[in-house]
């Protein structure tokens, strides 16, 4: 199983970046996908989540209206479009694949290595 993030970098406040996460080694279309982030000295937090077919999305309040998560099941890839970036968005961004069995506590998670996003002038 591999999740490989790309697209991070240094951007000025107000700028945009698009993160990509290429998945392999599992049935991508069966898994929900998420982006998390972790800033220095802070806990990892959920940024955005999308269901397996892409029909439903959820966002952290801090990124609503600025970030958009999407997926292409034909390419086994999930994206995070980040607009109007702020210094507070600076963090390592991690891709997560998750599969839950409804009605049980069973859950499987896979994680990428992370990509650094730095918002600074």
């Amino acid at each position: 199983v591999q999740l490989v993030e790309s697209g991070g970098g240094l951007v000025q406040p107000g700028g945009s970046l698009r993160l990509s996460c290429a998945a392999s080694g599992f049935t991508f279309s069966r898994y929900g996908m998420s982006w998390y982030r972790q800033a220095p000295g802070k806990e990892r937090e959920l940024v955005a989540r999308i269901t397996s077919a892409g029909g439903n999305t959820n966002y952290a309040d801090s990124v609503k209206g600025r970030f958009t998560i999407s997926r292409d099941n034909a390419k086994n890839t999930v994206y995070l479009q980040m607009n109007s970036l702020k210094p507070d968005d600076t963090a390592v961004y991690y891709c997560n694949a998750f599969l839950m069995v409804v009605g049980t506590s069973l859950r499987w998670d896979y994680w990428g290595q992370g990509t650094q996003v730095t918002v600074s002038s």
Side-chain angles (χ1 to χ4, degrees):
V1 172
Q2 273 198 315
L3 294 172
V4 180
E5 301 99 334
S6 61
L10 173 64
V11 63
Q12 291 188 341
S16 298
L17 283 175
R18 188 174 85 150
L19 305 183
S20 299
C21 173
S24 61
F26 64 101
T27 307
F28 181 77
S29 61
R30 293 185 60 195
Y31 282 69
M33 298 297 297
S34 300
W35 287 95
Y36 285 74
R37 68 185 180 186
Q38 187 166 19
K42 295 187 178 181
E43 293 188 354
R44 191 173 295 191
E45 63 172 351
L46 176 65
V47 175
R49 180 169 52 200
I50 188 167
T51 52
S52 57
N56 288 294
T57 57
N58 299 99
Y59 297 92
D61 287 343
S62 58
V63 308
K64 278 181 183 176
R66 301 188 298 122
F67 290 12
T68 303
I69 188 171
S70 62
R71 66 189 295 160
D72 185 338
N73 284 353
K75 295 183 177 179
N76 286 0
T77 301
V78 63
Y79 306 96
L80 185 69
Q81 178 66 44
M82 305 186 294
N83 298 328
S84 302
L85 283 160
K86 306 174 181 179
D88 283 350
D89 295 318
T90 295
V92 178
Y93 284 70
Y94 296 91
C95 178
N96 162 254
F98 64 94
L99 177 65
M100 298 185 293
V101 179
V102 176
T104 76
S105 61
L106 294 175
R107 179 182 171 122
W108 289 263
D109 285 271
Y110 302 129
W111 292 90
Q113 297 280 52
T115 185
Q116 176 70 47
V117 171
T118 302
V119 185
S120 175
S121 55

